Amino acid sequence: MQENFRWSPPGGPLGRLTRAAEERAATLRRSMPELRARALDAGAPPPFASSLRDGATVAVIAEIKRRSPSKGAINEGIRAGDRAALYADAGARALSILTEPLEFGGTTEDLLEVRARVGLPLLKKDFHVDEAQVWEARALGASAILFIARALAPHRLDALVETALMAGLEPLVEIRSEAELARAVATPATVIGVNARDLETLIIEPWVTERLLPAIPGDRVRVAESGMSSAEDVRRAAALGAHAVLVGSSLSAADDPSAALRALAAVSRGAHGG
């Protein structure tokens, strides 16, 4: 199916952020030998996929997020280490660390700070387009790395997944269509996420999750992304077979993020979530 798939570069915010990531990666490639050496010297990170699959409740991947292209400023004052410790105490099964600097306000230093504070699996969330970024993620202490299928030509997705596995990272492949699902399943990635938000238009389309999440094979960990702000949202995802949900904006903006996270993390798995 991949041979007949016609891919074109993304547009809108996704295209803009992907191009910016390519520029950052070009600079990072100069440090590739050092990054590889640091990555190979680093100890094994906590497991990501098994942390999401285990347990009787839907796993919450709590995201440290200061701002976004769709919402603008959300909580610019978040201190990554403090927020990570709060999320860990409130029941997060893993953390997503946004390292994109231009429109999300993240830094790679955030990931280092969080790794020093908590023992949870960390997902490095950024617009990853190059092998240098993969080795950087491992050197920083990440357990997992995000790859957005829409942002990557098929051969690039395949190559980056293979590099991630070689580096000791667990890839999370994000999809929004049946063709992208086929591409994700054709890789060895064990975690597949469905993003309800179209990153080219920034519109949330819940029906995309409703259509695609149940179609992810049972041997992969299923993650519902975007639009998760209440326990009822998590229950709907659980009914579709989600093992985990990724929650960012609503937790960042919450008056009591600890209470908000505890409510999300208490939702039982659906019948297809095992």
Side-chain angles (χ1 to χ4, degrees), residues 145-249:
I145 185 167
L146 175 72
F147 297 125
I148 301 171
R150 178 68 189 95
L152 298 165
H155 72 281
R156 292 302 301 146
L157 177 61
D158 294 345
L160 289 171
V161 167
E162 292 292 346
T163 301
L165 294 172
M166 185 189 313
L169 289 167
E170 298 179 69
L172 188 166
V173 178
E174 179 179 297
I175 65 164
R176 278 187 49 81
S177 70
E178 284 79 5
E180 290 172 7
L181 174 57
R183 290 175 59 198
V185 170
T187 76
T190 56
V191 186
I192 299 176
V194 179
N195 195 344
R197 187 182 299 280
D198 184 333
L199 295 179
E200 294 181 280
T201 66
L202 301 181
I203 296 171
I204 288 184
E205 300 170 329
W207 56 89
V208 172
T209 303
E210 293 167 6
R211 188 178 77 242
L212 293 176
L213 201 67
I216 297 173
D219 63 340
R220 313 295 174 109
V221 175
R222 311 178 200 99
V223 181
E225 305 174 47
S226 294
M228 298 288 134
S229 59
S230 68
E232 183 55 36
D233 294 328
V234 179
R235 278 191 284 272
R236 280 194 290 269
L240 295 169
H243 296 96
V245 294
L246 193 153
V247 187
S249 299

Side-chain angles (χ1 to χ4, degrees), residues 77-154:
I78 284 179
R79 297 172 63 90
D82 292 344
R83 185 55 68 107
L86 182 152
Y87 287 162
D89 288 343
R93 207 83 63 80
L95 301 178
S96 171
I97 314 301
L98 268 160
T99 58
E100 198 285 327
L102 299 178
E103 297 202 36
F104 289 90
T107 69
T108 53
E109 287 75 16
D110 287 337
L111 206 157
L112 283 172
E113 183 180 335
V114 171
R115 173 48 68 222
R117 290 287 298 272
V118 302
L120 292 176
L122 306 183
L123 168 70
K124 185 176 184 296
K125 192 175 180 191
D126 206 325
F127 298 83
H128 297 111
V129 295
D130 190 274
E131 284 80 358
Q133 294 171 297
V134 175
W135 291 105
E136 178 191 43
R138 183 68 176 84
L140 292 169
S143 295
I145 185 167
L146 175 72
F147 297 125
I148 301 171
R150 178 68 189 95
L152 298 165

Side-chain angles (χ1 to χ4, degrees), residues 2-58:
Q2 289 199 77
E3 293 181 357
N4 298 323
F5 178 76
R6 300 184 66 178
W7 181 84
S8 59
L14 179 58
R16 182 174 66 251
L17 288 163
T18 299
R19 290 189 294 274
E22 289 168 348
E23 293 176 2
R24 296 199 307 274
T27 301
L28 198 61
R29 278 197 295 274
R30 302 170 192 164
S31 305
M32 179 78 88
E34 177 191 348
L35 291 171
R36 284 177 61 98
R38 286 171 51 199
L40 294 172
D41 285 344
F48 182 66
S50 61
S51 295
L52 304 183
R53 187 182 285 277
D54 295 343
T57 57
V58 176

Side-chain angles (χ1 to χ4, degrees), residues 247-269:
V247 187
S249 299
S250 65
L251 290 177
S252 293
D255 292 332
D256 187 344
S258 181
L261 178 50
R262 290 183 190 281
L264 302 177
V267 175
S268 297
R269 287 268 173 81

